[in-house]
């Protein structure tokens, strides 16, 4: 079986899974997106940039993160991951197909909502880079933990914990302002996104939170690779 054939087969498998799992679509797409779209048309939220990071953090967490953790953990429980690895699926092929749909939905939402709530972003290139990288951070964090966990319950609890942490860190600068808190946020997985809106879009490319964002992606890629190899060695024999 060629690489292209395997990729097509995996993409078809993902699509069929999504179309047959209405509960997953409702939890990870219907709730965050379906909830905020009507709210975005309320006049009091129109044009307020401070409202946007709250929306984005929930979309990153649910549409990007929890989406993939539920999908992968269910795949493990049903032994589908074992079957895929035994059939010769490589890490790169698995990553490309498992993250494609969550990434497209997550990034698409990040691009649409600024227009829905009529927010004028002063630095779109930086916003786009941060949105792409933050999507990857949430997806890879949930993917790696789903590969390590034993069942769907554990993966869901991790995803929920990550969601709560993202919401707290994203809103913390509004209530506590000191250097320690600023450093914690800058070094966190949500730091660049939080600092971008804290600076009203005028964040410097050289800001330490931008560097940490790149390091988070690289570190999580390494962790995801280790998790995949660990599954292959310890659960597929």
């Amino acid at each position: 079986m060629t690489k292209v054939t395997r990729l097509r087969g995996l993409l078809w498998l993902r699509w069929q899974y999504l179309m047959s799992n209405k509960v997953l679509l409702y939890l990870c797409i219907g709730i965050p997106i379906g909830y905020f779209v009507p709210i975005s048309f309320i006049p009091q939220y129109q044009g307020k940039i401070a409202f946007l990071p709250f929306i984005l953090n929930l979309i990153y967490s649910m549409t990007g993160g929890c989406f993939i953790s539920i999908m992968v953990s269910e795949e493990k429980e049903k032994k589908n991951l074992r079957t895929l690895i035994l059939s010769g699926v490589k890490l790169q092929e698995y990553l490309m197909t498992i993250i494609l749909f969550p990434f497209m939905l997550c990034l698409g939402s990040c691009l649409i909502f600024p227009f829905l709530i009529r927010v004028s972003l002063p630095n779109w290139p930086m916003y786009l880079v941060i949105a792409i990288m933050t999507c990857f951070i949430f997806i890879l964090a949930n993917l790696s933990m789903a590969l390590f966990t034993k069942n769907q319950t554990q993966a869901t609890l991790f995803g929920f914990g990550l969601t709560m942490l993202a919401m707290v860190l994203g809103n913390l600068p509004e209530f506590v302002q000191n250097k320690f808190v600023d450093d914690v946020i800058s070094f966190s997985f949500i730091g660049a996104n939080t600092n971008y809106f804290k600076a009203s879009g005028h964040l410097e490319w050289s800001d330490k939170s931008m560097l940490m964002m790149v390091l988070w992606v690289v570190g999580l890629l390494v962790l995801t690779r280790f998790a995949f190899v660990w599954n292959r060695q310890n659960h597929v024999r």
Side-chain angles (χ1 to χ4, degrees), residues 52-61 109-110 113 127 193 197:
L52 188 56
F54 177 76
I55 298 175
L56 296 180
N57 285 338
L58 192 59
I59 289 174
Y60 290 138
S61 301
S109 301
C110 293
F113 271 102
Y127 173 77
N193 185 76
F197 288 103

Side-chain angles (χ1 to χ4, degrees), residues 119-138:
V119 169
S120 178
L121 298 176
N123 193 341
W124 264 98
M126 177 176 282
Y127 173 77
L128 186 59
V129 169
I130 292 175
I132 291 173
M133 298 294 278
T134 308
C135 285
F136 275 123
I137 287 174
F138 277 87

Side-chain angles (χ1 to χ4, degrees), residues 32-61:
I33 297 178
Y35 175 72
F36 285 118
V37 167
I39 290 180
S40 67
F41 291 101
I42 299 177
Q44 68 187 68
Y45 294 110
Q46 296 273 320
K48 293 191 175 180
I49 194 172
F51 182 56
L52 188 56
F54 177 76
I55 298 175
L56 296 180
N57 285 338
L58 192 59
I59 289 174
Y60 290 138
S61 301

Side-chain angles (χ1 to χ4, degrees), residues 60 64-65 68 91 95 98-99 132-148 158 162 165 187-191 211-229:
Y60 290 138
I68 205 163
L91 172 63
L95 279 178
I98 197 73
I99 73 176
I132 291 173
M133 298 294 278
T134 308
C135 285
F136 275 123
I137 287 174
F138 277 87
I139 287 173
L140 291 173
N142 281 270
L143 172 58
S144 58
M145 289 301 104
L147 288 171
F148 280 124
F158 172 80
L162 193 65
L165 184 59
F187 284 100
S188 72
F189 60 96
I190 200 73
L211 173 62
M212 288 307 303
M213 178 179 65
V214 176
L215 293 178
W216 271 100
V217 172
V218 173
L220 287 170
L221 278 171
V222 174
L223 182 62
T224 301
R225 185 182 188 283
F226 178 77
F228 187 83
V229 172

Side-chain angles (χ1 to χ4, degrees), residues 49-109:
I49 194 172
F51 182 56
L52 188 56
F54 177 76
I55 298 175
L56 296 180
N57 285 338
L58 192 59
I59 289 174
Y60 290 138
S61 301
M62 299 292 291
T63 308
C66 292
F67 194 150
I68 205 163
S69 66
I70 294 173
M71 190 161 49
V72 173
S73 58
E74 185 175 338
E75 201 167 64
K76 283 189 66 177
E77 284 186 347
K78 294 181 178 180
K79 308 298 182 183
N80 291 338
L81 179 60
R82 180 179 186 273
T83 302
L84 290 174
I85 297 177
L86 287 175
S87 67
V89 173
K90 306 300 181 184
L91 172 63
Q92 294 83 355
E93 298 165 352
Y94 185 76
L95 279 178
M96 287 174 61
T97 56
I98 197 73
I99 73 176
L100 179 62
F101 294 116
F103 176 75
M104 289 174 60
L105 290 167
C106 188
L107 183 60
S109 301

